[in-house]
Amino acid sequence: MGQITLKDIAQALNLSPSTVSRAMKNHPAISEDTKKLVQKYAEQHKYKPNTLAMQLRTNRNNTIGVIVPEIVHYFFSTVLSGIQEEAESEGYKLLFCHSQEDYEREVKSVETLIDARVCGILASQSKETQQYHHFQEIVDNNIRLVFFDRICTGINTDKVVVDDYAGAFNAVEYLISTGCSRIAFLGSHPSMPIANNRRMGYEDALRKHKLPILKEMNRVCDTPELAREVIPEMLQLNPHPDAFFCVNDEVAAYCMQISKSAGFKIPEEISVCGFTNSYITDVTDPTLTTVDQHGFEMGKVAARLLINRIEGKETKPGIVSRLIKTDLVIKGSTRK
Amino acid sequence: MGQITLKDIAQALNLSPSTVSRAMKNHPAISEDTKKLVQKYAEQHKYKPNTLAMQLRTNRNNTIGVIVPEIVHYFFSTVLSGIQEEAESEGYKLLFCHSQEDYEREVKSVETLIDARVCGILASQSKETQQYHHFQEIVDNNIRLVFFDRICTGINTDKVVVDDYAGAFNAVEYLISTGCSRIAFLGSHPSMPIANNRRMGYEDALRKHKLPILKEMNRVCDTPELAREVIPEMLQLNPHPDAFFCVNDEVAAYCMQISKSAGFKIPEEISVCGFTNSYITDVTDPTLTTVDQHGFEMGKVAARLLINRIEGKETKPGIVSRLIKTDLVIKGSTRK
DNA sequence: CTGAAAGCGCTAACAT
DNA sequence: ATGTTAGCGCTTTCAG
């Protein structure tokens, strides 16, 4: 009923467990006859080595923990997909944790993963997180840690981030090249590095082209709820923005919707640019110009970096920081 | 460096490992003094019980495996979110596998999970899967199995499905009530039960209202690629469809886009209805009427059912089949 | 070529 | 109230 063990095989075949163990792994010192005998018996009785026992011996479970802030989200699900593919191809299992943008849950996830004695952890922090004592705990427990996207600046560890600065810079410069000059920035809370880097890219592009950096053109607006509140206000400005550079595709989509129903033509009067290149960019009307973040690649790169660290292949001391290049994808929401 | 063990504590305190073990769990037969001594020492030295050892003893690892066909997908990521929440609240960890709609990967995922000796498995099969010998393997290994959404009809086990029939029936009846009479059905491959159930709901609604069931109004069309091929053909029909009932929101969104650019007014000339209620339904123009599948709830229900089975709380013999009710969500793409 | 014994970290039955 | 022993399933010296 329960699984058959090495001992069972040994008993049945009048051999010692050690011989059976060796026979199963084709140890050279075992006679062909014995090997065949053992392997045939194992096959017939569907013997499966007990992973748990192995894990206890080696104190390794070939498992990577991953903490995602919000899985119902194009970007993060893409990253997870990349992580999974890379992990699987290297023989690692994935323990999935979901902070749901909640600090307490994030802390609990970390505890769970440390407790499970995973070989390494891939994490992106929640929007709420302000302390990082729990992440430090990971490091203190000698567990490899790689942050992706939403990195925690307080912890000195490997990370993989999108080149937010360049992504924003290039997008804004493109908007300028099409004749936009009053470009609004809809960002995220400045406590997140990604928000700051994008703002800097945005501002530097304006500076380079001698456009003014106006305070009223820069707002925190990273959810549909905020969009409904903030965007109508900005459309009231005189002169109104002639372009919106948005922190994500969803906000950009709402931005188009709100602007259209306020009577503005897109892209003729107002250009809108998103960030991520999720599937919504193809179903809005017009389709949405956006910055591709290559989430899948980020996942693969992060997983690979972590695995290399675990296996001692990434020998570089100090911390490694990988940058994922972005690509501006021009669709229909920006003027030509 | 490595973790401290019970034995280490015992040695340091001149006690036996068993006493330390008991002291840690407040066994009544241990003196208060010893308990305090041990617990203080453990605290100071950051003792963490070795889960792996426990798992070997009990042959249980409190882990549930989940196999998702495609995580970059609103519905499935929602389900995963529900599964995760329920599992976490019951103290189970989640081993995440991703078949990516690929049969081979699905088989491998099953092997990985059996190998990891999970307590139970939640699975939704890939579109490609035609054989189910691997799922049978799960059952043969005495591992609890619950299918969700894309169930495998060949395996006799618990399942949680969306009420596709009623969802389709109600949606189509609504379309009829608004005056549509030439309603097209864009479905999935008939090998999937969910596709058949919806088609039956669709057809029964037509029958009830004495509308003809036309072969040319029923096509397989469940991806953007197919949409671009199939929908223009259907718009050529004379008379053209005055409504499309689509298998998912994405196809519905493309359907709107294609119909609009062919010159049709939505919803005045053509009504469009999707299925899922994903976030794209709020950013299309017009917004998309759809059938809410309640993925989060499905995830919670499936996980709960599995956990009850694992813990012997679901005593009902035979198989349990839970139905998730749908809700028609009327937005802007259907006439009033 | 094969076997005996020890040990990974923990617990529980059985002493004392 | 505490200690001894055995064992979960496997591997790996060390000894034949």
Side-chain angles (χ1 to χ4, degrees), chain B residues 120-188:
Chain B
I121 295 178
L122 292 164
S124 197
Q125 77 179 344
S126 91
K127 285 186 188 176
E128 258 197 358
T129 302
Q130 307 282 353
Q131 302 161 262
Y132 38 82
H133 146 269
H134 52 306
F135 289 131
Q136 187 57 48
E137 192 84 356
I138 297 176
V139 179
D140 293 347
N141 274 274
N142 267 299
I143 296 176
R144 295 297 185 181
L145 171 63
V146 174
F147 281 112
F148 61 92
D149 195 53
R150 306 234 208 103
I151 64 173
C152 174
T153 46
I155 302 284
N156 196 36
T157 192
D158 298 337
K159 46 179 150 293
V160 181
V161 290
V162 166
D163 193 351
D164 289 292
Y165 175 88
F169 185 91
N170 293 337
V172 173
E173 193 163 41
Y174 174 75
L175 292 171
I176 296 172
S177 79
T178 64
C180 299
S181 61
R182 297 184 305 284
I183 303 171
F185 178 82
L186 301 185
S188 226

Side-chain angles (χ1 to χ4, degrees), chain B residues 100-336:
Chain B
Q100 299 185 42
E101 303 285 11
D102 178 74
Y103 171 71
E104 298 296 341
R105 270 203 157 80
E106 187 176 278
V107 173
K108 200 174 161 201
S109 298
V110 168
E111 280 168 10
T112 302
L113 293 178
I114 292 178
D115 198 65
R117 287 178 144 73
V118 294
C119 303
I121 295 178
L122 292 164
S124 197
Q125 77 179 344
S126 91
K127 285 186 188 176
E128 258 197 358
T129 302
Q130 307 282 353
Q131 302 161 262
Y132 38 82
H133 146 269
H134 52 306
F135 289 131
Q136 187 57 48
E137 192 84 356
I138 297 176
V139 179
D140 293 347
N141 274 274
N142 267 299
I143 296 176
R144 295 297 185 181
L145 171 63
V146 174
F147 281 112
F148 61 92
D149 195 53
R150 306 234 208 103
I151 64 173
C152 174
T153 46
I155 302 284
N156 196 36
T157 192
D158 298 337
K159 46 179 150 293
V160 181
V161 290
V162 166
D163 193 351
D164 289 292
Y165 175 88
F169 185 91
N170 293 337
V172 173
E173 193 163 41
Y174 174 75
L175 292 171
I176 296 172
S177 79
T178 64
C180 299
S181 61
R182 297 184 305 284
I183 303 171
F185 178 82
L186 301 185
S188 226
H189 200 273
S191 76
M192 290 199 288
I194 63 165
N196 264 321
N197 293 336
R198 292 200 202 158
R199 190 181 45 73
M200 283 162 54
Y202 158 79
E203 291 182 356
D204 280 358
L206 294 186
R207 270 189 210 102
K208 177 175 169 193
H209 293 276
K210 311 263 190 286
L211 290 171
I213 294 166
L214 305 172
K215 210 165 172 206
E216 67 269 27
M217 289 297 224
N218 179 341
R219 300 285 298 267
V220 170
C221 178
D222 58 356
T223 62
E225 294 70 39
L226 278 169
R228 278 188 268 268
E229 184 186 320
V230 168
I231 294 166
E233 287 175 28
M234 301 190 80
L235 292 174
Q236 300 286 340
L237 291 174
N238 193 349
H240 66 77
D242 59 4
F244 284 91
F245 176 62
C246 309
V247 67
N248 62 45
D249 289 337
E250 216 180 351
V251 167
Y254 280 94
C255 180
M256 285 208 283
Q257 200 175 71
I258 293 165
S259 303
K260 283 199 297 184
S261 52
F264 293 97
K265 291 216 182 323
I266 295 185
E268 295 79 4
E269 295 172 300
I270 295 180
S271 285
V272 177
C273 180
F275 212 103
T276 295
N277 197 20
S278 63
Y279 34 47
I280 77 173
T281 60
D282 291 321
V283 299
T284 54
D285 185 9
T287 55
L288 184 62
T289 293
T290 187
V291 178
D292 196 321
Q293 288 190 88
H294 302 298
F296 187 79
E297 192 198 340
M298 166 172 277
K300 293 202 73 152
V301 169
R304 165 135 308 282
L305 177 54
L306 179 67
I307 291 170
N308 282 346
R309 279 291 192 203
I310 291 170
E311 300 181 350
K313 291 178 189 162
E314 176 64 63
T315 49
K316 202 168 151 194
I319 68 173
V320 173
S321 192
R322 295 266 152 78
L323 211 56
I324 304 295
K325 293 264 171 275
T326 60
D327 282 304
L328 180 64
V329 183
I330 297 165
K331 305 192 184 178
S333 63
T334 44
R335 57 171 96 161
K336 295 286 168 230

Side-chain angles (χ1 to χ4, degrees), chain B residues 64-82:
Chain B
I64 288 173
V66 52
I67 304 178
V68 174
E70 180 50 72
I71 190 63
V72 187
H73 193 300
Y74 179 87
F75 177 66
F76 285 118
S77 61
T78 312
V79 176
L80 179 61
S81 179

Side-chain angles (χ1 to χ4, degrees), chain A residues 3 51 115 257 260 285, chain B residues 3 51 115 141 260 282 285:
Chain A
Q3 280 295 329
T51 336
D115 198 65
Q257 201 175 70
K260 283 199 296 184
D285 185 9
Chain B
Q3 281 294 329
T51 336
D115 198 65
N141 274 274
K260 283 199 297 184
D282 291 321
D285 185 9

Side-chain angles (χ1 to χ4, degrees), chain A residues 18-40:
Chain A
S18 27
T19 303
V20 176
S21 170
R22 288 188 271 246
M24 287 304 293
K25 25 191 46 148
N26 283 311
H27 188 104
I30 300 288
S31 74
E32 281 306 316
D33 291 355
T34 316
K35 279 184 194 170
K36 268 190 194 119
L37 184 68
V38 168
Q39 292 178 3
K40 198 178 120 217

